[in-house]
Amino acid sequence: MIQFAKYHGCGNNFIIVKEEDARGQDYSALAQAVCSTATGIGADGLIIVREDPQLEMVFYNMDGSRAPMCGNGIRCFAAYCFDNGIRTEKVYPVQTLAGEMIVNMMETSPFLVKISMGKPSFKSADFGVLNGSETFLDQQLETTEGAFTVSSCFMGTVHTVVWVDEFPSETAAGQLSNHPVFTEKTNVNFVKRIDSKTLAIKTYERGVGFTFACGTGACASLVMGLRQGKCESKVTVRLPYGQLIIEQLPDGEVTMAGPAVRVAEGTYIQEEI
């Protein structure tokens, strides 16, 4: 039996477990088991809270694949740490596979946090693209539903941004995510420009499918929009279950501010995995 909590950030939901309660587990198998909506608790991903030697967020997608970072996940991680007395100071670092992220708690009731998400990289080598050029910007990719103009970067994890008037089907999104040019697959963000300060985004996450929100995807969308002159350096991202405030600072650092909500706590009665 494993003690867990479930949180969501703008509808993107996670099972959170302390490492001490899951020690000895195969985290990939555990993620698939607990995230199953049919036989588990149901979630988009599993977060392991590692406290030793440093505070670290260990993140797995629902399909068992490990991801370097998750924007909505790290806000939920911060809320969990506050709720459980692991970290109560206003500003502190969190280690991830994508590097150190800085948490800045803005409010605690309701919980609102700003995360320093680092700087984007446009180097193809940093996100596993095989196209023979240094970057992967404004490229045409074919699907069974037509061609899409895409641009990719590394923003805590690999992200591809597509500007659209209407959100496409899951079939087309999946074909872009799994396109052979991406050696590690890619998250795909379909972005509608409402105005220069407002974006609406629908993200197809590799290993998950369409989700209600993606924090790193919102950051990547702002970065691409600013590069292409489609938006200002600070935008509100509209999502079905909330909104995020994304800003790129003059030094290139990207920040994300948004909520995290505790949904449930309990005991996962483990089957054989």
Side-chain angles (χ1 to χ4, degrees), residues 33 99 141 143 149 160 189 228 253:
L141 293 182
T143 73
T149 301
T160 296
N189 308 279
Q228 297 174 347
E253 182 80 14

Side-chain angles (χ1 to χ4, degrees), residues 10-41:
C10 296
N12 202 193
N13 51 89
F14 311 94
I15 305 302
I16 306 181
V17 174
K18 290 183 180 180
E19 184 174 51
E20 63 193 62
D21 293 331
R23 202 172 300 278
Q25 297 284 331
D26 178 333
Y27 292 156
S28 176
L30 182 62
Q32 294 176 73
V34 300
C35 292
S36 171
T37 57
T39 59
I41 303 164

